[in-house]
Amino acid sequence: MYVPQPSRSDAAGRDAGDQPRVYQVWRGSNEFFLRGRFIFGPDVRSIFLTMFLIVAPVVAFCVFVARHLIDDFPGDWGISVMVVVVVFTVYDLTLLLLTSGRDPGIIPRNTHPPEPEGFDGSNDSGVQTPQQLRLPRTKDVIVNGISVRIKYCDTCMLYRPPRCSHCSICNNCVERFDHHCPWVGQCIGLRNYRFFYMFVFSTTLLCLYVFAFCWVYIIKIRNAESLSVWKAMLKTPASIVLIIYCFLCVWFVGGLSVFHCYLMSTNQTTYENFRYRYDRRANPYNRGVLNNFLEIFCSRIPPSKNNFRARVTVEQGLQQTRVASRGFMSPNMGKPVGDLEMGRKPVPWDEPRTAADIRDLEAGLGGFLDEKEGRLTHASPDLSRDDLPADLMEGRAGTHSRRSSWVNRTGTSESVDSMNAQIIAAWEAIQSDPVH
């Protein structure tokens, strides 16, 4: 009896349906909501504090001030005082969510380091050593006729584009990185800087609005009851509290608005302003005050480079477990690890981060051996490990012992030279294998 077999496309469809979504296996420190539709930073809880600091004084203003001003203005002007503050508060909270809940410009990580420029796949001896395969730490690119140095990111395994930096809090490389804002719980970058400034500026206007109408209410009490200003203030203690609160907040959000207005006029980011100090050299991104503002507020926001709701394909899953392309090594391999872009000090090899780097190296070198051995074990069903060449088995066992020693020594203060020697020895064992 004929039994129809499922087609390859049906099987592939079922496999794709079984694959997790990108946001479920995301390697950054972000938090996702509504199945990947919103992406926040790891400190997303701080957004609730920010919302409370905005909503609570507005509610107090509506209850203790605006409600009493409804009958003090002719026509419908009294009710408009409350309507304006409510609408403006909703607008302010919308900008907060647009800033905090969207991709700030995260650059997707590479599954393997890039190939060095000019690499032809061979050399005179036919063998590439770790020194030859180590990627350069920095590269120079030309931006508007000015040379700009870009750096290699060990975490994301890519050369950061100009103005890009790696956020140590979100653990992502972000385009046009400005800073990580704890008040919105998100990085501020290329895709949300516009909304961030609009949020800060609108919060400043909201503070000034509440501040001004609290004084209007105090003056109306003074005129209605023929009191002094001080006695009129005692009649409405809520207005006094709101005036003090708004006065303090204006210094913070107002000062931030002015500072970012200066940054936009010179086309700088907060990170660049504190790190590079363009007043001492030419700024390759400055296009003039008008064009700089047009770039921020009138240019099209580029689409996200990440589809967080997409399914992880089988090929992508295999790439994450396979050996790195051609085995190119990070510029920091065998060196103290530190985040130069974020101003963090280099740490010794006995730190926990180093243990993770060594395990990544172990998996990469092991992948070479697994791939080579797999070609033998699957070449014929009758070929077993007993039939393998003795030198390959010795090299395999030796490498396993070295790999074990790396894991055991990550908690010690072994010197970098010793670690480099182990890496080179493992690499030579791989290259000397006749099957490779």
Side-chain angles (χ1 to χ4, degrees), residues 289-302:
V289 177
L290 179 60
N291 290 328
N292 291 338
F293 277 101
L294 291 177
E295 178 182 334
I296 297 296
F297 294 107
C298 300
S299 62
R300 178 177 176 270
I301 297 178

Side-chain angles (χ1 to χ4, degrees), residues 104-105 174-179 187-194:
V174 179
E175 290 185 283
R176 201 186 185 278
F177 177 79
D178 190 88
H179 68 288
C187 288
I188 307 302
L190 177 65
R191 300 189 67 251
N192 64 350
Y193 181 81
R194 175 187 305 176

